[in-house]
Amino acid sequence: WGPLGHSVVAELAQRHLSPAAEAEVERLLAPEHTGSLADVANWADQMQNDPAMASLWKQTRSQHYINFHGGPSCDYVPPRDCRDGRCVVAALQYYVGVLGDRSKPDAARRQALKFVVHFAGDIHQPLHAGYRDDKGGNTYQVQFDGKGSNLHRVWDSGMLYTRGLDWQQYAQRLDSAVPVPLPAPVAPLDNPYAQWAEESCRITAETGLYPTGHKIAPAYVTTWLPVADRRLREAGRRLAQVLNLALAPAAAPQ
Ligand code: ADE
Ligand code: ZN
Ligand code: ZN
């Protein structure tokens, strides 16, 4: 997602944090002079424009997405789809582990938190987990609003901005909408991130997601913006679940 999508996901999660998780988020983010997940949700992308962060950007850029290689079935096969752990599924698993490890320095856990907030959003953007050989739609050119664009950008930001809402308004709108049942939470010990990526991939395989004639007509937005909204909501609620688990108070000594 672009800045709007990531801020919306973070704000939705913030609204569903447990008191213990919220307190730990506030403590970890204190050096950044914020307690708000939305304020740090875009850091993982912003380092792209900071020469001082060039090395970290280079090491982490492949952690924003996964490209499935099994065709439209979208089954996750790690050695094929996430070679050397360089994909968003493995990245989320890794950073959630660092975040939940209280023996790690706060600085490492703070950085892990910022990555988790960002990647939980990206993994729910369908085209961050596609199966076609088009860099998640980045090389699929489209006409949108009378201008040249590509399908990835339309999903990252173009469609979301057609609502004309800022991130707080957008989050409010999604959070007060009629509750949609979330897919059942997976068992805590499973790797839920593979499931989230597979869901994204299966959305990219649905008929019509790749628009006929490479043209994004108003009917495309009518059909697919609600799907983008659903993914933002799922991302926000699941991010809250992950943070509430990882940042639960340490078990009381027996
Ligand atoms: N670069 C290559 N594949 C990508 C994807 N699926 N999403 C974003 N950037 C990418
Ligand atoms: Zn993107
Ligand atoms: Zn990203």
Side-chain angles (χ1 to χ4, degrees), residues 122-190:
D122 276 342
I123 199 170
H124 283 82
Q125 203 284 50
L127 287 166
H128 274 248
Y131 72 94
R132 293 207 196 190
D133 190 18
D134 65 358
K135 294 187 157 44
N138 271 298
T139 64
Y140 190 92
Q141 305 303 313
V142 297
Q143 280 286 116
F144 179 57
D145 228 5
K147 294 191 249 330
S149 184
N150 68 65
L151 192 61
H152 189 94
R153 273 178 57 198
V154 167
W155 273 83
D156 260 359
S157 54
M159 274 203 300
L160 304 187
Y161 281 103
T162 66
R163 291 223 187 275
L165 303 174
D166 66 31
W167 59 269
Q168 280 140 323
Q169 296 166 328
Y170 210 124
Q172 174 63 33
R173 178 193 161 104
L174 293 187
D175 214 22
S176 53
V178 183
V180 283
L182 286 179
V186 291
L189 290 180
D190 281 355

Side-chain angles (χ1 to χ4, degrees), residues 55-155:
S55 158
L56 187 60
W57 168 249
K58 205 174 149 203
Q59 289 166 47
T60 56
R61 60 181 305 162
S62 68
Q63 298 182 334
H64 294 247
Y65 56 86
I66 176 172
N67 289 313
F68 285 89
H69 289 95
S73 75
C74 295
D75 293 325
Y76 178 59
V77 180
R80 181 192 67 195
D81 302 322
C82 193
R83 278 174 175 273
D84 307 317
R86 296 168 61 84
C87 78
V88 66
V89 173
L92 264 173
Q93 193 167 24
Y94 172 74
Y95 291 117
V96 170
V98 173
L99 177 62
D101 183 349
R102 281 162 202 259
S103 73
K104 290 268 199 290
D106 280 349
R109 295 180 62 214
R110 175 162 45 252
Q111 192 188 84
L113 173 61
K114 294 191 284 182
F115 279 127
V116 169
V117 171
H118 186 89
F119 295 147
D122 276 342
I123 199 170
H124 283 82
Q125 203 284 50
L127 287 166
H128 274 248
Y131 72 94
R132 293 207 196 190
D133 190 18
D134 65 358
K135 294 187 157 44
N138 271 298
T139 64
Y140 190 92
Q141 305 303 313
V142 297
Q143 280 286 116
F144 179 57
D145 228 5
K147 294 191 249 330
S149 184
N150 68 65
L151 192 61
H152 189 94
R153 273 178 57 198
V154 167
W155 273 83

Side-chain angles (χ1 to χ4, degrees), residues 5 33 41-42 49 84 89 101 123 136 146 186 189 193 206 212 221 224 226 230 234 241:
H33 307 288
N42 288 288
N49 306 313
D84 307 317
V89 173
D101 183 349
I123 199 170
V186 291
L189 290 180
Y193 318 114
E206 287 179 25
T212 42
V221 178
W224 293 104
R230 192 185 80 222
E234 290 173 350
Q241 285 177 349

